[in-house]
Each structure stands twice: as C-alpha cells, then as structure tokens.
Amino acid sequence: VSPLSSPAPRGEFDLIARIRERTPEAAHVLRGIGDDAAVLAPGAPVPTLVTVDLLMEGVDFTLPPATPRLVGRKALAVNLSDVAAMAGVPRSAVVALCLPKSWSEGAVLELHAGLAELAAEFDTAVVGGDTNAWDGPLVLSVTVLGECTSHGPVLRSGALPGDWILATGAFGGSIGGRHLTFMPRVREALAIHAAAGDALHAAIDVSDGLAADLHHLLEESGVGAIVDADAVPIHPDAVSASARDGRTPLEHALSDGEDFELLLAASPEAGRRLLANPPCAAPLTRIGEFVAGSGCLLRAADGSRSPLPPLGWVHPVGGTAAR
Amino acid sequence: VSPLSSPAPRGEFDLIARIRERTPEAAHVLRGIGDDAAVLAPGAPVPTLVTVDLLMEGVDFTLPPATPRLVGRKALAVNLSDVAAMAGVPRSAVVALCLPKSWSEGAVLELHAGLAELAAEFDTAVVGGDTNAWDGPLVLSVTVLGECTSHGPVLRSGALPGDWILATGAFGGSIGGRHLTFMPRVREALAIHAAAGDALHAAIDVSDGLAADLHHLLEESGVGAIVDADAVPIHPDAVSASARDGRTPLEHALSDGEDFELLLAASPEAGRRLLANPPCAAPLTRIGEFVAGSGCLLRAADGSRSPLPPLGWVHPVGGTAAR
C-alpha cells in the first residue's frame, strides 16, 4: 500500500489468491485470508499467547545456502519455539513480507510452502498477512498466537534457588544448517509441563545462546546459576565448528545460539522424576542448578568455578555505548 | 538473533528495557514485554481479530518528510484502520522492527513514542516485539489483536444488491501528509455499527484507493456497484494535488489511496437513518449503491455511466504478467 511508488504491472492479489487457495480451513478460523482482519472463534477461557519474530536476509539467513522454503519454515519455527518456551499450544499465524522485486512468484510460493508445511505439522492456521515488494532484501515477520494449557504459562521469571537447570537437546554449531531445520520443542514443552505441573517453574528457548538466554532467565527470576561444564550437551555440529575455528566445542555450545532448545527450571523432585521417566523422546539433561543471588558460574570437573558471562549474540541496536 | 553476524558492542536489551519502562500496564496483559511471548487474559467469549501491516522506508514513507514519531504512529494507525473496517475494538499490538544501524537510540524512542501515543488513545496495549538492526532501511511490522463487539465482525463479503455505499470522510491527496497523520475510524465504525446493527452488511478501509478497495469488497460480496461521481467527497488535498499535476480532483479521490476512510454497505433503511441521525462526528456520505452483477460503474450527473476500474495502488509482486 503506497502512494509513494507508481503501480507495477502485476499485483499482489493474484499471489494472495493462490496462497488463499492453498490454505486449509481450520475450525477456529471464522474468516482467514481475504478480509481486513482475520476473525478467530472464541476458544476456551485460557490466556492467549502472542509472539513476533522478524528475519532479515543477510542477517538471519543468506540465500544460498538457505532456500525460500527453508526461510519460510524458519520464520514460523522461531515463533513456535517461543510458544514452546511458554509451554503453550500454537494456534494461528500471520505473515508480513518484504519481497525482493526480483523474486519469481514460484519462489514466493516455495517460501509459503515451507511455512505452511510446518504450520500444518503443528496445527497452526495461517490466517492472514501483508505482502509487499521492494528493491531491498527479503524480510519476513511472523506473529503467532497460541493458548495456554490449563496449567497456565511458564514464564522466565519463576526459577527458584535450588531448582535444577534442565535442557532439551544439544547445543552449538547450528550455523552449520540446523538453524534452518530445527524442530521447535512445542510437544516436548507440553509433555514436560504435563508431567511436572506446577513444579516446572520457568522456561526460555535458546536463540541468542545458552549462556545469554540463561542470563535473561536469571534476570527475570532474580536468581543466580551454576552450570556444570561437563554436563552441557555438546551437539556434533559444535565439534565440527570447533575443528574449523579452534574454539572448544563447549564454547560453541555456550555461545553460538539459534539452538532453539529449551532451558527449564524445575524443582529437584520434579527434575529427578523427569530424568527418571522422560516424558518426551528429546534428550533432557540436568546442566546445573539455580542459586540465590545473581550471575552465572561455570563449574569445572574439579569443582573450580569461573564466571560465565552472557556469551552469545547481542542484537546491534544504537551503537553508542559499550556493553 | 543471528549466528551470521558478529556481536555488536551494544545490545537491544537496554533499549527494550527502556521501552518496557515506558509501557503502561493494562488490565488484560498478564505478561507484556520481556518474556518469550506476551500473555493476555481471556476476555469475553467474542471472536478475536488479527491483522498485520508492514511499512517500508522508501515505499510507504520517506524520512523526511516523515519523522520517526510519525512513522511509528502510522505503523499502528494502518492496523487500527483494519480493525475499524471489521467494526472491532483494538486491544493489543506487537511490533517488529528492522532498524537502520545508523539510527540513534533517541530516534528509536521517538518512533516508539509515536506508536505508544496512538496506542494509548485507542486503549491498545503494546505487549511485545522484536527489535533488530541492519544496514538496510527502516522496516516496521505491527500486528494488532482486537475483539468483535456483541454485534460480531463486519466482513467485506456481506454487501447486498440495493445496499447503499456509504463513505466516511473525504478522499484524495493523502500523499500531501495525511497518510501519516490520519485518525483511524475505530470509534466511527463502532458507532455506526451500534446504530445500524445487522443492517450494516459490509465494510472495508481505503488503503489501496477508493475504486480499488471498492472492487475488493465487490469481489468478496459477489455484487456490482454504481458510484455517483458528484457524490464522492473530495478532500481539499485532492484539489491541491490536482493543481500540481492536472489530474482532476475526482481522479485523485478515486485512485490515490491511503485515505484510511471506510466504505460501508448498509441497507437503504439503515442508510437513511444513519444520514438523518449521524452517529459520529465524521462526515458520512452516500456515494452510490450496490447492484446485482459484478464490476463497478461511475455515474455522471447526466446519468451516463462509464466503467470504474480498480484504480489505485497495485502491490508489485512477481512481475511476470500484465494486469
């Protein structure tokens, strides 16, 4: 929508019509793509979750090695990971696009297909969007709405001293390709929450980096943490990355980011039960414990402790002051 | 969030902390900025509205003449206009940003202030966002959630042959500045809907252009329309634009777009009542009628009719076929 550019010979409307045709109906969508707003039926009286993530070509992915299909997938997946970090159920998504004018309609439909496939896998309805083209690179912004379960949301702010730090999966080296293909831990979070109930105190997903996101959780909860260096699950991709750049696999695991695994705070009793009877197929590991105070320490095998700063991606905004 | 760029010396987190401080609490927001997702309290069992719009520097605005404050305002306003076009009540917004790395923190806070002021005016809570920086121009994507009233949503698809075409306000020449400062017709839509009830059959807001958006409504409703040339409210800005480029004020009014006025379909009885007892201060004008069939005709003062094509902005996507 713009009065500042002259009309182009081809509109977005044909494309939207094609996307609309390819969008399955969903019981809770009273009106999806094609009106001024989507209309969603009232659901159960549980809290609504809302999360948005924006991806930029050249920053969050490059084409290649990414493909339009993988980029569409990732744009939804990062949002589903946020819903997982609240132990919520994703329900609906809207998609805003800046498409490079050079893109073919086929490329746009590939992007949509990647997003739609993952949406279908997680019973999430694509209910609307805004499609634009420009001379710049690809930008995608996806907003996901979800619902809490009857157990309520799991916030970042609930970790208590003494709680165990649990992690799903393994960490490091996602830049090798996993950042495009990871499976958001929606089902795992729901299974863990159902098993632990109120003893699951806090959760965050790892996008910025294990250490950085753990620090976010610590700040919101007002606690500190000790991480056992030997306990951090190292992804094989971190070993590969280490072989390339000489940084240790552990450094990669602690700082690379975009693992989209969950860090969880659970009472020791719940932690023990979860590890004894894992409620999900994904590996679940105790990587340390929350303590009174603030900040984070890394505990070596010999028991020695050193500060673990919020290593990881720091979003470049502004640029005036040093961190 | 990116493994593809190296960390910058300053993070988004300080900025987010400042925005969080400046964000007022709202009763329905159980958890706003600062977690993986916002948590909204369940409301009345009415349908939820969801709409997203994305604005791009150089396409939807230029800086100058726009300012960061006006751009922040516009990014929310266009979404509120979509909620108005459903006769809904806006409730919550999330904001995704690509900020040019050259922007100061002060400029970002100005952008936020423009958005926050309009949000406050419409009781809309800013509940979350995603802040990114890059070497490209400014991109903003805002998603707004709203609620239907007990009268339900007003769709694009409900216009019936014989219905009157009503328009709020006046049209044309918004590029002169009004596209940045318009007041979304949220209150007007609610007042008209409350007065007309079920006799308000359809609505759309004019972003692409009066003729173009009327065509969208016609297509969704499966009807045609006749617009009375003399009845179209011409904005003074359209007269100014005409003086500059020689196109008639009517042409500007029909095709310029970004008026963010409403086009409404009401039964003749309701239309008569609305014009006799206007439920809102904004001008309400009968500009024509819906008819059986398809397409749109422009009726001159002498009764002669000519086709009125979907003049207005056509979003440039793809680029292979002529319209």
Side-chain angles (χ1 to χ4, degrees), chain A residues 294-305:
Chain A
S294 66
C296 192
L297 296 172
L298 189 66
R299 182 163 52 195
D302 63 5
S304 65
R305 298 169 184 201

Side-chain angles (χ1 to χ4, degrees), chain A residues 1-2 4 9-11 20 31 35-36 38 40 48 50 54 59-60 130 133 143 156 175 220 314-316 323, chain B residues 1-2 4 9-11 20 31 35 38 40 48 50 54 59-60 130 133 143 156 175 205 220 314-316 323:
Chain A
V1 179
S2 176
L4 299 171
R10 180 169 178 81
R20 196 169 165 182
R31 179 77 178 171
D35 217 304
D36 296 290
L40 310 180
T48 296
V50 194
L54 181 147
V59 178
D60 297 293
D130 185 25
T143 303
R156 292 182 179 180
I175 182 75
E220 295 296 328
V314 177
H315 303 247
R323 171 156 144 248
Chain B
V1 182
S2 176
L4 299 171
R10 182 171 177 80
R20 195 170 164 180
R31 179 77 180 171
D35 217 304
L40 310 180
T48 296
V50 194
L54 180 148
V59 179
D60 297 294
D130 184 26
T143 303
R156 293 182 180 179
I175 180 79
D205 70 320
E220 294 296 327
V314 177
H315 302 246
R323 174 155 142 246

